[in-house]
Every structure is written in C-alpha cells, then in structure tokens.
Amino acid sequence: MKYYHLIALIFILYSCNSDSKVDEPINSDAIPIYNQAYQENYAEDTIDYIKNNAENGYVLLDPFQDDVIEHIEDIKAKNNQVGAYISIGTGETYRDDYNQMQAYLVSTPWGEWPDEFFVKSTTSGILEVMKARIDKIAAWGFDWVEFDNMDWFYDDELRTAYGVEVTENEGIDYYQKLCSYVHSKGMKCMAKNRVENASDFDGVLYESYNDDKNWWDQSGAQSFLDAGKLVIINHYNESNCGQVYFEYKGI
C-alpha cells in the first residue's frame, strides 16, 4: 500500500514516510485499509490508486466529493468494504446541506478548521438533516458510515469557548440514534476516537500522533477487539513506522 502499514488485527499506521519498512509479520486477521477522506494528511489514496490496488480491504471515502460515488461499484467488486465519511459534530460550509444545518450550529468557526462550525443543539432538526445524508449514502451502496467529530460535546472547553448547548446525555442519544438509523439502512457504524456508550457500533477508528500514542481508553478498544469488531488506528506524520507498529503490536 502506498503510505500505509498495517498493525495487528485491523490496526493501521497512517501518513508514514513511504520509504519506511515494517518487517514484523502481519497478523492473519488484518485487512488493508485505504483512505481517500482524510486529505489533510501526508497524502490521501486517490480513487485510481484504490481501484487498482484495494482488494479484500476497508476503503473510506468522502461520499460528497465530486465523482466519488460513481466508483463504488468498481471498488466493491474486489471484495472491499466501503465506508462513507460524515462529520456529525460539525457543519461544513462546503457541503450542499450546509444551509439546512446552519440554524443548528454555533456562530464562531472552529479555530483549527475555519470552514467548520460545531453543532450547537441536537434536540431540534439536525437529526433529520443527518438522516437525509445517511439515506443518500445507503442508496449509493456504501457498507459503513464513519461518524467523525462524534465527541465534541464531551469537551467542556469547547462547550464554553463556542457556546455548545448539547449536554452529554443529548450528545450520546444523538449518535446512538444515528447509528440505529444506519443499521436500519443495512449498513454498519464506525465510531471515532471513543467507544463509551457506543456498544452498538460495529467498529472504531482512533487517531494517533507521534507525541501522543495510545491515549484512548484502552479497555474500550480491547472490548471491540474481543468482540471481533473492526479497530483502526490512524497514526499521523511518522518517519519510523516500523517502531510504532512494534509498539502497538506489543500493546
């Protein structure tokens, strides 16, 4: 794979130097991961690269990027599972449904991502906006939906700084309802960065950094592994993939 190195089970090291090597044998339960959605990293896998190389793997796409959905059938033809990226905790100004979401968002853009605004309230109409997205994703033939920014309401600093009104109970209810809706459409749910109150989710993707590895609730990650659920680690900006692979395999 172009920039990716697998870790045991369904772990992945992500955005590593393309010349780095992983000499440890790959766990026989591991599958290849391809990622077109996270474009802020070293380099995303292009659609052409995925179509030519992805086989028996998990492929994450941004379903609302131009011309992506026309390639889903070809990608799935090689026995790949295809996931759709959506942010459920923010509204993005470049999405077609941004105007529908705007009434449910805070007024100040997220400092780290100036084109995104945190969801202010989940008890009004935003649930229906997200369900409309999921309806499209199901109709396009995706197998998974990945819930980015599903943990924004847990952060008290963000709540204070941006005026987020969502309580912890409301936020949990929100992503549980969305996962249930995904299941009703015959697809699976991918959690992001945490699995608390997400036992119904079918997998989880964690973000790892060279100065902040294995920061998540390890027992939660282990519970997903024990249940045979998909567990992915995206590890960013790393020159020594082999060492990080060895560390995570040990964990």
Side-chain angles (χ1 to χ4, degrees), residues 97-114:
D97 58 3
Y98 175 73
N99 288 337
Q100 297 171 259
M101 294 183 63
Q102 198 167 7
Y104 317 121
L105 306 176
V106 301
S107 57
T108 304
W110 186 1
E112 188 175 0
W113 306 105

Side-chain angles (χ1 to χ4, degrees), residues 42-54:
Y42 184 70
E44 77 277 14
D45 283 327
T46 65
I47 291 293
D48 285 342
Y49 184 83
I50 290 169
K51 287 171 66 176
N52 290 331
N53 294 277

